[in-house]
Amino acid sequence: MKRGSACEQHVKIDAAGLTTPDVCTKLSLILRKTFSYFHKGTVYMRLVFAGALLLATASLPCFSQATAHLTVDVAETVAKVSPTLYGIMSEEINHSYDGGLYAEMVSNRTFKTVKGLSLENWVLIQNGDARATMEVDASTGPSAALRHSLMLTVASAGPGAEAGFYNTGFWGMAMRPKTAYGGSFWAKAESPLLGGVTIRLVNDKTGEVADSTSIPSLGIAWQQYQYTLRTGELNPSADYHLEFLVEHPGTVWFQLISLFPPTYKSEANGKRTDLMEMLTALHPAFLRFPGGNYLEGEQLNEHFEWKKTIGPLVDRPTHTTPWNYWSSDGMGLLEFLTWCEDLHMEPLLAVFSGYSLNHEHIKPGKDLEPYVQDALDEIEYVTGGVNTRWGAERAKDGHPAPFVLKYVEIGNEEYHDPSGTYNARFAQFYKAIKHRYPALQIVAAAPVTAVRPDILDDNDHVLHTHFYRTAQQFFQDVHHYDTYDRSGPKILVGEWATREGSPTTNLGAALGDAAWMTGLERNSDIVVMASYAPLFVNVSPGAMQWPSDLIGYDAMTSYGSPSYYAQVMFSTHLGDGILKTNLETPNPRLFESATYDSKTHVVHLKLVNAASTAQPLEVALTGAAHVQSEATVTTLRGRTMQETNSITDPKRIVPVTSKISNAGAKFSYTLPKYSIQVFDIRVD
Ligand code: AHR
C-alpha cells in the first residue's frame, strides 16, 4: 500500500474486506447536506451551519487522530516468551461441567441437590389410568457412596397405561439425527414379577418417540444395566426428555441414571465434542484446576476432596459447590487429567490448603499434616508408577501411564484469609512436597515470606482479588509488569478477565483483554502463565452464577465471545522471543506487543486500537535485512464496545484474515476503531 492520508488508508482497509462505513464517506455526506442547507438558508442559518460544519470536521476521526509511530526492533529478542503463557482456568461454576463440558445428559442423576435428597428435574409419569408415586428412599442405594435411591411405587399399570418418570436434562436434552446415545442405570426390583423397564427418548412438544428400548427384567438385588438409544431422521433439537416406564404394579428403586451422546474421542464418561474443539482452537498451554472457590468449598468439609472423585461413578458420593448447586463429580481428578492429556495442556494442579471461603482454616502444624499428606497422595496419584499406592489406584481407574506434572498451587486466593496463617501453611506444604518432588514448581496463592515460592499467583493489590476488571482499568494498567521486580518469584496470573457483557463478554471486554495481553506478552519473561476465568457458562435461564464468561452454550450449541476470539488470536500468533517496541501515540487507547518466531522467521505484531476512531500508524521494523512486503493481518473488530456474540448470533464478531502488500522496513497503516489486529510479517 502506498503511504497516504488517513482517508486513503480507510479505503484500503475496506478493500481488504472490512465493512464498517468509511468515515470519509460519512464526511462527504455531511458536507453535501450542509452545503445544500447553506445555499437555501438566511444569513443567521448560514452562520449556524458554518459553525456546525466546523464542529463536525473537528470531531471526525480521520482528522482528529494524529499519526502514531511504532518502532519494533527485530535485530534481537530481549527475552524468551514463556511457552506456557496462555492457559485456561476452570472449575464447577455456571454449569461448566454438569450441563457443560461433561457430556452427561441426565441432570440430578443421583437424586441429591443443595436442598438435600431431592427429585428435582424428575417428573412422575402416569399414563392412562396408571397410578404410582415416587420419592427418595434414604434407606437403600447401590453403594456406600450412594446409599439412597429413587423409589417408584406402582399401584396399577399395564400395557398402554405405564407408570414411571422422566428426566428433563440440563435445560433439555439435545438430540441429533442418526446418533447413538449410550445409557446406564442401577436398579433393584421388589420382586421379579415387576418385569422390565422401557426407556424412551421423547419430544417434549410433539410426543414423538425418537427411540425406545427395553430391559426385559430387573433383578431383586442392586445391579447396573446398560442401554443404547439410536435416533433416526429427526430435526436436531434440545426439546427431548428421557422416560423410564414399567407396566406392572410393585416397587422398584433406581440410582445413577445416565445417558451420554457421542463424546470427544469417544471416551467413556467423556466430554462434549463441540466444547473440546473450541478449546483446541484456543491452544491452551496449561489448565489450572479444580478451582477457584470450587477447590476451597464454602466450609472446610465442602472442599474438593479428590479421593471422592475417582473410581467408578457409583463410588463417588458427589458434593456441593460454593456456586449453589450440586456437583455429580463425574468430572473427577482423572477426568481433569485426561482433559489435559487430550488437549496437550500442562496440568496446574491446585491442592487444598486447609482454608475455606467462610474463613475457616486448619492450624499449621499437626492439624494440617493430614491435608499435606492428602496433597502428597494426590501428586502420587497423578505422577506415581503403578508400583506406588496411588499410582496403582490410577491404573485401576484405567490410566496406568503416569501423567507429567510440573506445577502445583497451594490453595486459592489465600489473601482473603484473615487468620494470617497462609505463610506457615504454605511453608508446611512447600517443604513436604519439595522434599519428595524436588522438581515440582510450587505456586503460592498469596504473597509469602517464610519460604520463596517458585511462582506467585498474583492479584490486583487495589481490588484485593484476582484481576477481574473493567476494560478501562486494563487500558490504564497495561504497563503493570513492565517494572516488576525480576529477582522475585515468577508470576502466574491465575485468573483475569474484563468483566463487561453478560452472559459472555462483549467487544469492549475483548479490547480490555487484548490490551492486558499485550502487557503480559511484553513481560512474559516474568509472567510465565496466565489463565482467563471463568471459562464456561451455560446460558440457559438460571444456569449462570458469574456473568462475563469466555464460552457460552446451551444443551444444543456453543459459541465464543469476542474475548474468546481475542485469546485465540493471541495464543495462536505467538513467537518464542520478545521484541522491543517503542510506541509514540497521542491515543491513550492504543496498545502493542511483538514477538518473533525463530523457526518461521515471522514477527507477530499485535495492535489494539480501543478508541472510537481509526488510528493512523507509521511502523518501522528496524534491524532486519529484509522484510517481506506481503503480510497477513488478522482482525477482530466491531462498531461499538457493546457489540457481541450470543447463542442466537454466535458469529457476529469473529476474526477475519486479509493480506497487506506494503509491509516493509517502514510502512503505514490505519488501525480501524475498536479493533484487535495481529500482523504476521516475515523478516530475514
Ligand atoms: O472465577 C470465579 C471466582 O473468582 C473463582 O472461583 C475465585 O477464585 C475468584 O474469586
Side-chain angles (χ1 to χ4, degrees):
M1 189 198 303
K2 259 174 59 183
R3 274 184 66 172
S5 71
C7 292
E8 282 163 350
Q9 294 289 333
H10 272 287
V11 173
K12 186 70 187 175
I13 290 164
D14 276 358
L18 305 172
T19 52
T20 302
D22 188 289
V23 286
C24 298
T25 314
K26 276 191 196 158
L27 171 60
S28 68
L29 266 174
I30 293 170
L31 285 173
R32 260 187 276 143
K33 277 197 178 164
T34 307
F35 278 118
S36 85
Y37 284 122
F38 192 79
H39 277 298
K40 291 179 212 156
T42 60
V43 175
Y44 174 74
M45 288 291 280
R46 287 178 191 189
L47 278 173
V48 169
F49 283 126
L53 175 62
L54 270 174
L55 268 177
T57 306
S59 65
L60 272 167
C62 76
F63 292 112
S64 67
Q65 204 62 274
T67 300
H69 296 267
L70 172 69
T71 308
V72 183
D73 182 359
V74 296
E76 56 173 356
T77 53
V78 289
K80 281 196 173 141
V81 172
S82 165
T84 50
L85 180 59
Y86 294 120
I88 52 179
M89 185 268 169
S90 173
E91 63 179 322
E92 185 58 281
I93 183 174
N94 298 327
H95 287 271
S96 287
Y97 309 141
D98 289 350
L101 184 70
Y102 182 51
E104 174 64 84
M105 298 171 79
V106 176
S107 56
N108 188 19
R109 69 183 180 187
T110 56
F111 319 119
K112 202 165 188 185
T113 69
V114 282
K115 295 178 204 130
L117 300 182
S118 152
L119 292 180
E120 204 173 289
N121 300 340
W122 294 94
V123 182
L124 184 68
I125 298 174
Q126 300 174 96
N127 285 338
D129 56 6
R131 288 294 165 264
T133 58
M134 66 172 189
E135 61 190 284
V136 180
D137 183 346
S139 69
T140 181
S143 64
L146 301 175
R147 295 163 180 272
H148 64 279
S149 50
L150 180 160
M151 181 173 78
L152 177 72
T153 307
V154 182
S156 65
E162 306 89 353
F165 49 80
Y166 71 86
N167 184 264
T168 52
F170 289 99
W171 297 273
M173 287 189 182
M175 289 297 133
R176 294 171 213 279
K178 297 193 169 166
T179 305
Y181 295 81
S184 62
F185 64 96
W186 288 78
K188 75 167 186 181
E190 174 194 38
S191 123
L193 296 177
L194 189 105
V197 57
T198 297
I199 306 159
R200 319 194 301 180
L201 281 168
V202 182
N203 188 291
D204 303 335
K205 292 181 178 155
T206 64
E208 162 225 333
V209 177
D211 194 23
S212 159
T213 189
S214 291
I215 304 290
S217 66
L218 297 175
I220 56 166
W222 279 109
Q223 192 184 322
Q224 191 179 27
Y225 300 87
Q226 313 281 347
Y227 63 96
T228 305
L229 292 163
R230 282 190 182 79
T231 57
E233 290 296 351
L234 52 71
N235 291 328
S237 161
D239 292 337
Y240 282 85
H241 63 261
L242 178 69
E243 293 188 351
F244 277 66
L245 301 167
V246 298
E247 292 184 352
H248 298 282
T251 302
V252 58
W253 291 263
F254 293 87
Q255 184 49 282
L256 200 57
I257 298 176
S258 173
L259 183 67
F260 275 79
T263 59
Y264 184 73
K265 289 190 175 172
S266 304
E267 282 168 9
N269 198 41
K271 300 168 187 88
R272 248 174 86 158
T273 304
D274 58 338
L275 295 177
M276 286 296 273
E277 284 172 353
M278 287 196 72
L279 295 180
T280 304
L282 201 54
H283 281 264
F286 70 93
L287 171 69
R288 177 173 177 255
F289 71 92
N293 293 357
Y294 185 56
L295 169 71
E296 299 165 85
E298 193 57 46
Q299 308 176 37
L300 283 176
N301 64 1
E302 291 176 355
H303 73 271
F304 183 84
E305 287 188 67
W306 69 271
K307 284 177 184 159
K308 295 182 177 171
T309 72
I310 57 172
L313 296 178
V314 74
D315 295 329
R316 302 186 191 185
T318 73
H319 82 292
T320 191
T321 72
W323 298 107
N324 207 26
Y325 65 95
W326 203 258
S327 167
S328 74
D329 287 337
M331 276 291 294
L333 178 58
L334 186 61
E335 287 75 22
F336 281 109
L337 293 165
T338 53
W339 182 10
C340 291
E341 193 170 59
D342 283 343
L343 298 189
H344 310 290
M345 304 181 285
E346 301 271 5
L348 163 48
L349 175 68
V351 298
F352 181 62
S353 68
Y355 169 71
S356 59
L357 289 166
N358 65 350
H359 302 315
E360 284 177 275
H361 75 275
I362 307 289
K363 269 204 237 129
K366 220 168 167 28
D367 290 357
L368 196 62
E369 274 170 17
Y371 295 89
V372 174
Q373 187 55 48
D374 204 55
L376 292 171
D377 292 348
E378 188 170 7
I379 297 167
E380 187 175 282
Y381 183 90
V382 179
T383 63
V386 292
N387 53 341
T388 62
R389 157 85 178 83
W390 288 103
E393 200 68 31
R394 185 197 61 241
K396 206 168 87 190
D397 294 342
H399 202 289
F403 293 92
V404 176
L405 178 70
K406 296 182 192 154
Y407 309 97
V408 172
E409 182 165 2
I410 315 299
N412 177 57
E413 296 190 335
E414 298 281 339
Y415 35 80
H416 291 318
D417 178 8
S419 77
T421 57
Y422 184 60
N423 211 20
R425 284 187 288 114
F426 178 80
Q428 197 171 333
F429 275 91
Y430 180 95
K431 284 175 191 159
I433 295 173
K434 277 279 185 189
H435 179 69
R436 198 147 143 216
Y437 300 99
L440 275 180
Q441 300 267 294
I442 312 290
V443 183
V448 284
T449 50
V451 283
R452 182 192 146 121
D454 299 297
I455 301 174
L456 171 67
D457 186 348
D458 204 9
N459 70 299
D460 183 318
H461 299 175
V462 179
L463 301 174
H464 209 57
T465 64
H466 270 111
F467 293 88
Y468 291 114
R469 292 171 161 184
T470 61
Q472 185 59 24
Q473 283 167 327
F474 276 133
F475 297 152
Q476 286 170 344
D477 198 26
V478 291
H479 297 290
H480 190 87
Y481 289 107
D482 290 4
T483 52
Y484 239 62
D485 177 9
R486 259 55 186 175
S487 65
K490 299 286 187 195
I491 296 295
L492 156 72
V493 183
E495 292 175 40
W496 69 271
T498 306
R499 298 201 60 197
E500 292 182 14
S502 176
T504 46
T505 52
N506 57 25
L507 180 65
L511 291 163
D513 294 344
W516 177 242
M517 285 190 283
T518 62
L520 299 182
E521 230 168 82
R522 280 186 283 101
N523 291 285
S524 71
D525 59 316
I526 181 159
V527 182
V528 289
M529 304 171 110
S531 36
Y532 183 101
L535 181 64
F536 287 136
V537 62
N538 186 318
V539 301
S540 307
M544 177 179 76
Q545 293 78 46
W546 182 283
S548 72
D549 303 286
L550 200 67
I551 296 172
Y553 46 84
D554 58 15
M556 197 75 208
T557 59
S558 49
Y559 70 97
S561 61
S563 296
Y564 165 80
Y565 288 110
Q567 297 249 352
V568 171
M569 286 167 65
F570 270 66
S571 65
T572 58
H573 297 81
L574 188 63
D576 48 21
I578 304 168
L579 294 173
K580 192 159 180 278
T581 55
N582 183 43
L583 178 65
E584 284 168 19
T585 174
N587 173 1
R589 288 189 170 194
L590 181 62
F591 312 99
E592 95 294 354
S593 68
T595 58
Y596 174 72
D597 189 321
S598 59
K599 287 189 206 81
T600 58
H601 302 268
V602 168
V603 171
H604 299 291
L605 171 61
K606 287 157 184 164
L607 290 161
V608 182
N609 179 19
S612 59
T613 54
Q615 175 61 60
L617 177 71
E618 299 283 337
V619 181
L621 300 177
T622 60
H626 176 251
V627 178
Q628 201 163 295
S629 58
E630 181 162 282
T632 305
V633 186
T634 309
T635 304
L636 189 74
R637 64 181 289 201
R639 291 171 177 78
T640 70
M641 303 266 277
Q642 289 68 38
E643 218 172 339
T644 198
N645 298 332
S646 66
I647 199 86
T648 50
D649 192 2
K651 295 268 160 110
R652 194 178 178 83
I653 308 274
V654 292
V656 173
T657 301
S658 59
K659 299 271 183 207
I660 56 167
S661 52
N662 73 324
K666 288 196 170 178
F667 67 99
S668 312
Y669 191 85
T670 295
L671 304 164
K673 72 174 189 178
Y674 301 138
S675 68
I676 301 165
Q677 295 192 293
V678 183
F679 292 72
D680 297 330
I681 308 169
R682 163 99 196 197
V683 296
D684 296 296

